[in-house]
Amino acid sequence: MTKVRWHLAALCGVVTALVLGLIAVAPASGATGVTATFSKSSDWGSGYEGKYTITNGGTSAISSWTVEFELPAGNTVGSVWDGAKTTNGNRVTVKSTWNGNVAPGASASFGFNATYSGNSGNPVYCRIDGGTCDGTGVTPTTTTPPPTTTTTNNPGPGGKINLGYFAQWTVYARNYHVKNIHTSGSAAKLTHINYAFGNVSNGQCVMGDRDADIDKFYDAGASVDGVADSWDAGALRGNFNQLRKLKKMYPHIKVLYSFGGWTWSGGFGQAAQNPGAFAESCQKLVEDPRWADVFDGIDIDWEYPNACGLTCDASGFGSFKVLSEALRDRFGSSYLVTAAITADGSNNGKIDKADYGGAAASLNWYNVMTYDYFGGFSPQGPTAPHSPLTSYPGIPADGFNSDAAIQKLKSKGVPASKLLLGIGFYGRGWTGVTQSAPGGSATGPAPGDQGEAGIADYKTLKTRCPATGTVGGTAYAKCGNEWWSYDTPATIGGKMGYTKTQGLGGAFFWELSGDTSNGELITAMSNGLK
């Protein structure tokens, strides 16, 4: 990281894409003129990403839709976005959520990941609101009786999100580049990358670091694909071009442009005063024709709405919901719109300060920053793990653990499938510690290796200060007079088990450069989410 702390509470194997054209399937519509069309965007040999586009070709608006389809034997739907899924065997029913209102001539859509053994096939049966997908309103014929639909909250095997942050400044002193995502083997295990950060200034989305983002030259040896950047006028360089090349090599990866973070969250309050103008500025930047193909979504990292982070915000309980709605309206239903949010599960804590339940209807998922609960920013201690999964006797603060945050968000109406558990690829530590067990006193933060005292990468700590115990579902280490806490492959395995048990949408981590050169931690996440 840089000298500033950016975050404080902060699918397969190598794939071969098979990009297909729009594949029409027997349409589904009880309302004459309303159609549902199936398409695949990629197929990696053991799964694919599918999409249904609902188009209102009628003369009257519709306020909701339900698409029902059936996959061939050996095909299974995993995660679904922009719709609510229920399943019974190979029959899948998806109902509209926030995107049910479709005006005449307009379209809405939902997407899904599917896995298969043997051959991949298109849906063999489809209907919308009880009628065929071709808009005639006729009830479709089927060789199997319509099943009684059973609700499931589990996104399904192989359908979990595994998202990692790429921090733009790692290309400088840390010497970590987009190519490292490939050479470490991490790209094959990621589903999404959040590119951090864009700034929020004067109520608008603006570029964070032009040199790193679009100007930095990569020669053939440093480039993802072994081809040097062009110096031609108007040619795209920097991280954006490297991400473009990475996506060509790994077409299953989706990239989101993340705005804000610990240092740049101060502008969100002003943005919330005119959310429409803010959303317009973000869309123009993210979808700039020079790099529109790089990004599949936008992520908002506001630390924290109607609460205090680096600065204090007083925009009100509803500001985050309004901002999220504006972004969804501007980017549309086919674009990913997500948010990184607080994991403060205490009574009257940060989760209680904003309408996270209401905003969830406009967002694909939340990256719940279940880390940085405790650390050397409290110089005298007591020592405690910065990313506890659960509470434990003697924990310094009630509600400061991952499970408390997840349960509180669920209680506010956020679907479990829209929650991603956060993992830190770093540790936090103290010096002047004599007690091996958690709860000891300290004299200050331990020497760090990221330009900030009290914080160090996993790749450093695994040999500098190996783990000596576990507490609250995560690891800690005592070496000399230093005390550190961090996640290991073993504790990540336990956290991924929790993710599946709770029916969460998956997990994410901050950030890629903290892992080992062969991706130990992301491998543990990927294996644990299967």
Side-chain angles (χ1 to χ4, degrees):
M1 290 203 270
T2 59
K3 295 187 189 233
V4 191
R5 179 156 32 98
W6 292 80
H7 267 281
L8 182 67
L11 269 147
C12 30
V14 176
V15 300
T16 301
L18 177 61
V19 179
L20 304 176
L22 203 61
I23 306 168
V25 178
S29 175
T32 302
V34 181
T35 63
T37 306
F38 172 74
S39 62
K40 284 181 185 176
S41 59
S42 61
D43 189 314
W44 48 87
S46 60
Y48 65 84
E49 182 177 308
K51 178 181 178 180
Y52 269 99
T53 301
I54 297 91
T55 302
N56 186 358
T59 58
S60 301
I62 60 173
S63 59
S64 65
W65 47 261
T66 300
V67 173
E68 185 178 354
F69 61 96
E70 185 172 326
L71 297 177
N75 288 239
T76 303
V77 167
S79 59
V80 172
W81 51 93
D82 299 327
K85 177 193 73 171
T86 57
T87 61
N88 189 328
N90 280 25
R91 187 69 61 86
V92 182
T93 301
V94 179
K95 295 185 178 182
S96 57
T97 51
W98 56 270
N99 54 352
N101 292 311
V102 185
S107 297
S109 66
F110 67 88
F112 61 90
N113 286 331
T115 58
Y116 61 84
S117 57
N119 296 320
S120 168
N122 300 331
V124 296
Y125 171 87
C126 176
R127 64 183 181 181
I128 184 167
D129 298 333
T132 56
C133 289
D134 59 9
T136 62
V138 177
T139 302
T141 59
T142 177
T143 56
T144 58
T148 302
T149 304
T150 302
T151 300
T152 175
N153 292 322
N154 190 340
K160 298 292 187 184
I161 294 167
N162 190 8
L163 180 152
Y165 275 86
F166 179 87
Q168 67 206 155
W169 58 88
T170 62
V171 303
Y172 300 126
R174 296 176 67 78
N175 196 31
Y176 187 92
H177 306 272
V178 175
K179 182 176 181 178
N180 294 98
I181 306 175
H182 165 60
T183 58
S184 65
S186 299
K189 296 157 188 169
L190 285 164
T191 61
H192 299 76
I193 295 172
N194 274 10
Y195 183 78
F197 285 107
N199 199 352
V200 182
S201 179
N202 296 320
Q204 297 186 334
C205 284
V206 297
M207 192 170 289
D209 181 343
R210 181 183 177 91
D211 180 64
D213 295 346
I214 64 172
D215 284 342
K216 181 177 172 61
F217 177 81
Y218 281 89
D219 62 21
S223 183
V224 170
D225 61 356
V227 178
D229 286 344
S230 170
W231 284 111
D232 291 346
L236 185 65
R237 294 183 294 274
N239 290 329
F240 286 11
N241 190 43
Q242 292 300 302
L243 287 168
R244 172 185 283 166
K245 293 181 175 186
L246 186 75
K247 288 180 67 176
K248 287 181 180 179
M249 295 176 69
Y250 301 90
H252 71 281
I253 294 178
K254 304 296 183 185
V255 179
L256 296 86
Y257 198 162
S258 186
F259 289 85
W262 180 254
T263 302
W264 284 343
S265 283
F268 280 116
Q270 183 179 353
Q273 296 174 20
N274 193 342
F278 171 71
E280 176 74 15
S281 73
C282 297
Q283 194 273 339
K284 286 182 177 179
L285 176 57
V286 178
E287 288 293 277
D288 186 296
R290 292 171 290 177
W291 51 75
D293 60 318
V294 174
F295 297 108
D296 305 282
I298 183 172
D299 177 71
I300 298 301
D301 187 345
W302 184 354
E303 303 181 22
Y304 303 96
N306 203 38
C308 294
L310 183 62
T311 60
C312 290
D313 174 72
S315 58
F317 179 78
S319 59
F320 179 71
K321 177 175 182 287
V322 171
L323 204 68
S324 300
E325 290 172 339
L327 288 168
R328 175 57 69 191
D329 289 344
R330 187 65 188 87
F331 280 95
S333 62
S334 62
Y335 213 72
L336 294 172
V337 181
T338 69
I341 63 170
T342 177
D344 177 1
S346 63
N347 290 331
N348 201 34
K350 290 183 177 68
I351 290 178
D352 294 321
K353 300 299 184 182
D355 190 4
Y356 292 107
S362 300
L363 301 171
N364 292 89
W365 63 74
Y366 283 133
N367 301 312
V368 188
M369 295 185 287
T370 46
Y371 39 73
D372 291 333
Y373 286 110
F374 309 104
F377 43 83
S378 298
Q380 280 71 52
T383 57
H386 81 87
S387 186
L389 177 63
T390 59
S391 186
Y392 62 89
I395 193 168
D398 291 336
F400 273 38
N401 64 84
S402 305
D403 182 61
I406 295 299
Q407 302 311 324
K408 173 159 279 198
L409 288 163
K410 285 183 178 181
S411 75
K412 294 183 179 297
V414 182
S417 61
K418 287 193 174 188
L419 296 174
L420 306 191
L421 187 73
I423 304 293
F425 279 12
Y426 61 91
R428 288 192 174 274
W430 290 263
T431 190
V433 181
T434 59
Q435 178 175 311
S436 295
S441 60
T443 59
D449 66 2
Q450 298 185 20
E452 180 184 4
I455 186 168
D457 290 340
Y458 166 75
K459 66 177 182 278
T460 299
L461 291 171
K462 65 170 291 191
T463 54
R464 170 182 163 182
C465 196
T468 54
T470 59
V471 64
T474 191
Y476 65 86
K478 175 71 164 56
C479 51
N481 67 348
E482 294 183 14
W483 195 98
W484 291 87
S485 70
Y486 54 90
D487 273 308
T488 65
T491 62
I492 284 176
K495 289 186 174 184
M496 297 307 98
Y498 171 90
T499 295
K500 292 190 291 187
T501 300
Q502 292 291 318
L504 306 188
F508 78 98
F509 59 90
W510 178 269
E511 43 82 18
L512 279 154
S513 71
D515 206 353
T516 60
S517 61
N518 63 345
E520 285 184 18
L521 298 186
I522 193 173
T523 299
M525 289 181 67
S526 178
N527 290 341
L529 289 171
K530 291 177 181 177

